[in-house]
Amino acid sequence: MIGSLRDYLKRRLVPSTVIATSRRRGPARWRMRCRQWLGQPLRVELYFAFDDPYAAIAVPGLARLCSARAVDLRVYPLLQRGIADDPAAGVRALHALQDATRLSRRGDHTGLLRCEPVTADAVAFLAHWCEALAMPADRLRFASAALEALWCDGRSGLQREAFAQLHRQLTGQLPASGDAQGAALARNAQRLRQRGHWESPAACLAGEWFFAHERLAQIAQRLDQYRVGAPA
């Protein structure tokens, strides 16, 4: 009985509490207005995990959306996400892949081609390589391309060398060696939770949170409401 109650709290009450907290966004909107008055681009933060199929929709999609506007899009790769010790993690992973495949077939997208979930450990090297990139633009390019290669091109294995070649093509440098970015990745997860969210792919715009894979149109509407136009 106690175990069942604990599982219920993890699955139901924790996400609801986090969402309610995230709606208190007055100070964030004030900071956004200050940036606009100072002539600085509006910042959008996107937290994502490479093992999340939804990220293959959210990161490239948000990158395309923001490239047409004066927006400073910052991506934060994650190794830890979701609810700790989630008893339904395996089921959620299968459902996410099925749902992401369905969503990705809308419009002109060819759809996700990977047939099985990917573990966080199996793609941890991608998170380390992404986090190690100092320039936000390089980080965004690599994240978008690596997610599409991982989930959308039918690759059966992970083929680390293929991703290393992709990294070199996009950034002109070799990927970072080892797992030196562990502390920085842990800070990304901590920052996400401190700001009021817990899952991937989560986009924050002026204190308002969106699950970016299914809310790209709403994010575009918000940017239009804030009068964010094309880059100069």
Side-chain angles (χ1 to χ4, degrees):
M1 182 65 181
I2 294 177
S4 298
L5 177 60
R6 183 172 58 249
D7 291 348
Y8 172 82
L9 291 173
K10 288 179 178 178
R11 291 195 304 268
R12 302 291 182 182
L13 298 187
V14 172
S16 299
T17 301
V18 173
I19 290 172
T21 302
S22 73
R23 289 173 177 163
R24 296 197 293 267
R25 53 183 184 269
R29 286 188 171 180
W30 182 84
R31 289 193 296 270
M32 179 205 69
R33 294 301 184 191
C34 286
R35 291 180 66 88
Q36 290 181 311
W37 292 332
L38 294 172
Q40 299 175 346
L42 175 64
R43 177 169 295 179
V44 176
E45 297 184 356
L46 177 59
Y47 298 80
F48 74 98
F50 282 98
D51 64 300
D52 179 11
Y54 289 133
I57 301 171
V59 177
L62 193 55
R64 288 189 291 269
L65 189 157
C66 291
S67 68
R69 295 171 169 83
V71 173
D72 178 17
L73 175 58
R74 301 292 180 99
V75 294
Y76 296 86
L78 303 169
L79 287 182
Q80 300 88 29
R81 63 186 177 96
I83 302 169
D85 302 320
D86 183 0
V91 174
R92 289 183 190 278
L94 286 171
H95 172 75
L97 179 55
Q98 295 167 357
D99 189 45
T101 300
R102 175 185 59 82
L103 288 173
S104 69
R105 289 174 178 162
R106 295 179 178 177
D108 298 328
H109 202 288
T110 57
L112 272 62
L113 297 179
R114 184 171 288 278
C115 299
E116 296 180 354
V118 174
T119 66
D121 288 343
V123 291
F125 70 95
L126 293 174
H128 284 271
W129 291 358
C130 184
E131 183 64 29
L133 292 168
M135 299 297 295
D138 286 343
R139 188 179 294 190
L140 177 59
R141 276 195 297 270
F142 176 73
S144 297
L147 283 163
E148 290 187 324
L150 176 64
W151 291 101
C152 303
D153 73 351
R155 193 189 310 273
S156 59
L158 289 174
Q159 302 181 23
R160 183 167 176 144
E161 180 53 36
F163 287 103
Q165 292 177 5
L166 179 64
H167 188 285
R168 287 194 294 270
Q169 292 170 3
L170 293 172
T171 69
Q173 57 185 292
L174 293 171
S177 59
D179 297 332
Q181 305 303 317
L185 290 166
R187 286 195 296 271
N188 289 349
Q190 181 181 27
R191 176 184 175 92
L192 175 64
R193 292 182 182 276
Q194 287 177 339
R195 299 202 59 190
H197 215 286
W198 76 101
E199 188 53 281
S200 162
C204 186
L205 166 59
E208 185 174 6
W209 287 101
F210 302 86
F211 276 121
H213 60 286
E214 59 185 12
R215 292 291 183 264
L216 292 173
Q218 286 83 349
I219 294 172
Q221 290 174 359
R222 282 289 187 274
L223 292 173
D224 291 341
Q225 289 173 5
Y226 295 142
R227 300 180 182 177
V228 181

